[in-house]
Amino acid sequence: MKRLLWFGFPITLALLAYGFYDAMFLAPTEVTMGNLYRIFYYHVPSATLALVFPYVNFLASLVYLASRRNHPDRALKADAIALASAEITLVFGTICLATGMLWAKPTWGIWWTWDPRLTSMLMLWLIYVSYLMLRRFAAAGDLYSIGLTTTVAAVLSIFAAVDVPIVYMSIRWWRTQHPAPVFFGAPGSGVAKGMGSAIVWNLVAWGAWGILMLTLRYQLERRRQLQRQESALQALEASLEVSN
């Protein structure tokens, strides 16, 4: 933990600072939108990472489901990763939706429209709100209820994993109000010279932030799991002493 704090935080802060500097001062001003477009240097990385971390959650949930009976320690570690990645996904999803609405109001004249891309992204966000609420309500229960709820949450992650490609492909499958794909889109798509650097630096910086927070949150959750196990063991020993 200390090594991560000493090295991870300074590197992440340096990347975030340079990404901000590149986006605000080095990248050229867009011709039609002016400086308003600079919000995309945060919207695009957050949207991208909001579609990456769900698969960390999904894979960790699969490991939990496969290991919960025969390899409980492995299952608990996987569950800690699943919970941490779900929280990171919700953070990036919130930033994505918020920055998108901040851009939409001056551009479209409305904060929100039930566009396929926006709607499918909102569905992903709501799935993870439900996931974390489910985990939160179960945290106060006994070990049986926690285990049952964790299994249900792991199954819920499958629905999130199914929604991710729908979010990504929505602007390719349907006619939408959302801008057409900028990267890997039709011929002629892409960004002007000087803009790509700011997007890449911010994607790397926020990716590093996500990994750092995921690691810290995983370690905290593992500590809580071990404390919960110790408390349950002490309660069991106390009940056995009383019965004897």
Side-chain angles (χ1 to χ4, degrees):
M1 177 77 79
K2 290 183 178 180
R3 185 178 300 176
L4 179 66
L5 294 175
W6 276 106
F7 293 99
F9 269 116
I11 293 172
T12 301
L13 289 175
L15 289 171
L16 289 171
Y18 185 78
F20 177 82
Y21 175 73
D22 197 347
M24 297 299 134
F25 301 104
L26 298 182
T29 302
E30 209 273 335
V31 176
T32 57
M33 290 184 286
N35 285 319
L36 175 64
Y37 94 99
R38 296 184 191 276
I39 201 169
F40 282 111
Y41 294 127
Y42 293 92
H43 178 73
V44 173
S46 63
T48 302
L49 293 168
L51 300 182
V52 171
F53 280 95
Y55 281 104
V56 178
N57 173 253
F58 173 63
L59 292 175
S61 297
L62 289 182
V63 173
Y64 170 80
L65 291 173
S67 307
R68 70 188 191 280
R69 298 188 184 279
N70 300 324
H71 303 282
D73 189 59
R74 182 197 301 169
L76 286 174
K77 291 178 180 178
D79 182 59
I81 295 174
L83 178 59
S85 57
E87 293 174 349
I88 301 301
T89 299
L90 188 62
V91 171
F92 282 124
T94 302
I95 296 173
C96 169
L97 292 172
T99 53
M101 289 188 291
L102 288 174
W103 175 84
K105 178 60 177 177
T107 306
W108 296 341
I110 52 175
W111 293 102
W112 183 266
T113 180
W114 293 103
D115 176 273
R117 165 59 68 85
L118 276 66
T119 304
S120 56
M121 186 65 203
L122 178 62
M123 287 178 61
L124 182 66
W125 186 84
L126 290 173
I127 288 173
Y128 277 104
V129 169
S130 303
Y131 180 101
L132 293 175
M133 288 180 65
L134 186 65
R135 299 294 300 263
R136 180 68 175 175
F137 290 149
D142 56 22
L143 289 178
Y144 175 78
S145 63
I146 292 173
L148 181 61
T149 305
T150 302
T151 302
V152 175
V155 174
L156 190 60
S157 72
I158 299 173
F159 292 94
V162 171
D163 188 43
V164 167
I166 297 175
V167 176
Y168 180 76
M169 294 300 296
S170 58
I171 54 178
R172 292 169 170 81
W173 288 342
W174 299 291
R175 295 176 59 89
T176 67
Q177 189 167 340
H178 188 280
V182 175
F183 301 101
F184 311 110
S189 62
V191 295
K193 185 178 180 180
M195 294 181 178
S197 172
I199 292 177
V200 170
W201 274 109
N202 278 286
L203 182 59
V204 171
W206 286 103
W209 181 89
I211 294 172
L212 178 65
M213 293 298 106
L214 176 69
T215 305
L216 289 173
R217 186 64 185 87
Y218 165 78
Q219 292 178 349
L220 290 173
E221 182 60 23
R222 280 295 293 158
R223 185 177 302 174
R224 187 168 68 174
Q225 287 176 346
L226 295 174
Q227 290 174 347
R228 189 186 297 134
Q229 285 181 324
E230 184 178 353
S231 298
L233 183 60
Q234 290 175 352
L236 178 61
E237 291 176 349
S239 64
L240 290 175
E241 290 177 0
V242 171
S243 62
N244 292 332

